[in-house]
Amino acid sequence: MVVRAIVDWYTNFMAAGDSRVQQWTFMGGPAPTLSICLSYVLFVKWIGPYLMKNRPPLSIRWLMILYNSAMVVISTYIFVMLGMLGWFYKYNWKCQPVDYSDNPDATAMAHLAWWYYLSKFLEFTDTIFFVMRKKFTHISTLHVIHHGIMPMSVWWGVKFTPGGHSTFFAFVNSLVHIVMYFYYALAAIGPSMNKYLWWKKYMTAFQMVQFIAIFVHSFQLLFRDCNYPRGFMWWIGFHAVLFWFLFADFYKNTYGKRRAAAAAALNGKAHLNGNGEAKTNGTNGVKANGYSNGVAKTNGVPKTNGVNGINGSNGSNGVTNGSAKQNGYQNGHSNGNGVSNGYSNGVVHRTTTKVDSED
């Protein structure tokens, strides 16, 4: 009885979809789409890496260039057609109900929504290329979630609302993909293009902006009387929020760490601002550390104002006051092995080396 009730509910629910798309590929029910998405995750996370484990990375540069260039063309076509059929001048950006009629524009919009849905399967190729090239670190949680759930998410829109307010998501996303796949096509050419790819982090920021736009466009219906299914308003808005947080986390982890690493490098060892550590090459292993306030350490003993007054008991360990002048500053160090370092206000200005015969 319970099973029968569930089957009847499912049958009636599927029958409530747009009659124009019922016979289109994969539109009869969610099972085919769900199966393909799960197979994708299984392949890119386990099967693919296992198959490539003992194989060298594949050289597929020209295949990648061709694929990414094709995706630029496909994304451009979808974006332009969504604009021409609706968002450039026909649709209302505040509230656009779905036209379920056989009007040529409405039917064309439904077909376009279906093609956009199919393109989400094609985008699985992004990850498959990572597997083929053994770039397993690129197959992040963000990447797999984003690609893995998109076909299933879009399927519901094509099934029940292939047009109207829903298509704003595809419209904005296609614009972003034009830019994104253009970047990937350039990157696939090779290192010679690196000087033209400085804008990667701005592309990520652009992707985050799209989710804000989709979020605002969707949830504005909370404050408007619009003949559009509220359930899809929440569905689209939820995805915008989810993806925004995923991409924000990626942005922070990727570019935040790079900024931190760059700052650390500026304050790292042997840096010219005097905040690092400079090791002499002598046999006694003396270390001389310069600081911006003029403090210098020799063999771990701090001496202020750059003055070193330690005289060792023998020539091999002795540290004497030397003089190294540059731009009017003095502060020299020389150790028994004949290494002399000049400092000015904590900044290394020159290092000279004497040979034994000069002593």
Side-chain angles (χ1 to χ4, degrees):
M1 179 68 73
V2 175
V3 174
R4 180 64 182 176
I6 294 175
V7 171
D8 289 343
W9 172 85
Y10 174 81
T11 302
N12 293 332
F13 182 62
M14 290 296 106
D18 190 338
S19 60
R20 296 173 300 177
V21 307
Q22 293 285 14
Q23 303 303 316
W24 296 357
T25 302
F26 298 153
M27 286 294 106
T33 302
L34 182 60
S35 298
I36 295 172
C37 290
L38 292 176
S39 298
Y40 157 79
V41 175
L42 184 64
F43 178 82
V44 301
K45 295 298 289 186
W46 292 284
I47 297 177
Y50 176 78
L51 294 175
M52 293 299 298
K53 183 177 180 180
N54 297 317
R55 292 179 170 85
L58 300 179
S59 179
I60 53 173
R61 174 176 297 180
W62 290 108
L63 181 59
M64 292 170 58
I65 295 173
L66 179 63
Y67 163 74
N68 288 301
S69 299
M71 291 303 298
V72 170
V73 174
I74 292 171
S75 299
T76 301
Y77 173 79
I78 293 176
F79 172 74
V80 171
M81 291 305 298
L82 284 170
M84 295 295 292
L85 293 171
W87 293 108
F88 284 162
Y89 54 88
K90 294 182 179 180
Y91 275 11
N92 187 325
W93 287 55
K94 296 179 179 179
C95 169
Q96 183 59 49
V98 182
D99 185 351
Y100 293 102
S101 72
D102 291 326
N103 177 282
D105 282 357
T107 302
M109 182 65 82
H111 275 94
L112 197 58
W114 180 70
W115 281 110
Y116 175 76
Y117 153 75
L118 292 180
S119 73
K120 300 298 106 179
F121 291 121
L122 186 58
E123 289 171 10
F124 287 172
T125 308
D126 295 359
T127 325
I128 294 172
F129 282 165
F130 287 149
V131 173
M132 295 169 68
R133 298 166 61 215
K134 302 186 74 169
K135 301 287 186 179
F136 301 132
T137 57
H138 290 26
I139 308 175
S140 63
T141 300
L142 165 65
H143 184 92
V144 175
I145 290 176
H146 179 62
H147 284 272
I149 71 174
M150 278 301 291
M152 195 69 255
S153 300
V154 177
W155 181 89
W156 294 100
V158 179
K159 177 70 173 180
F160 294 96
T161 59
H165 215 76
S166 301
T167 57
F168 181 80
F169 186 106
F171 178 65
V172 176
N173 186 241
S174 295
L175 174 61
V176 171
H177 279 198
I178 294 171
V179 179
M180 184 183 76
Y181 282 108
F182 176 71
Y183 175 92
Y184 291 155
L186 291 179
I189 294 174
S192 62
M193 301 302 295
N194 287 348
K195 59 185 177 181
Y196 303 112
L197 302 178
W198 51 267
W199 46 279
K200 181 179 181 180
K201 72 175 182 178
Y202 300 106
M203 181 181 68
T204 304
F206 187 32
Q207 290 174 302
M208 294 169 64
V209 169
Q210 81 167 314
F211 298 125
I212 295 175
I214 292 168
F215 171 85
V216 172
H217 184 262
S218 182
F219 282 125
Q220 68 172 319
L221 297 185
L222 288 172
F223 311 100
R224 302 184 189 281
D225 184 16
C226 184
N227 184 24
Y228 177 82
R230 284 291 179 104
F232 281 93
M233 173 200 71
W234 288 104
W235 180 252
I236 295 172
F238 164 75
H239 280 79
V241 173
L242 171 65
F243 288 139
W244 188 90
F245 277 105
L246 288 173
F247 274 79
D249 185 65
F250 168 81
Y251 188 95
K252 179 182 68 175
N253 290 334
T254 301
Y255 305 111
K257 288 181 179 178
R258 288 182 183 177
R259 284 195 296 268
L266 290 175
N267 296 315
K269 292 183 178 181
H271 200 77
L272 291 181
N273 62 7
N275 292 329
E277 179 183 89
K279 293 184 179 180
T280 63
N281 293 321
T283 58
N284 61 5
V286 176
K287 294 182 180 179
N289 295 315
Y291 294 84
S292 60
N293 62 1
V295 178
K297 288 184 181 178
T298 305
N299 287 332
V301 180
K303 294 292 179 181
T304 61
N305 298 323
V307 178
N308 295 302
I310 302 176
N311 291 301
S313 60
N314 56 58
S316 61
N317 292 321
V319 181
T320 61
N321 288 333
S323 177
K325 293 183 179 181
Q326 186 158 336
N327 296 327
Y329 295 95
Q330 298 187 44
N331 184 19
H333 304 264
S334 67
N335 57 32
N337 65 358
V339 179
S340 170
N341 296 312
Y343 296 80
S344 169
N345 201 27
V347 180
V348 178
H349 286 276
R350 74 177 181 185
T351 300
T352 59
T353 303
K354 299 179 182 179
V355 295
D356 293 341
S357 61
E358 293 177 338
D359 291 334

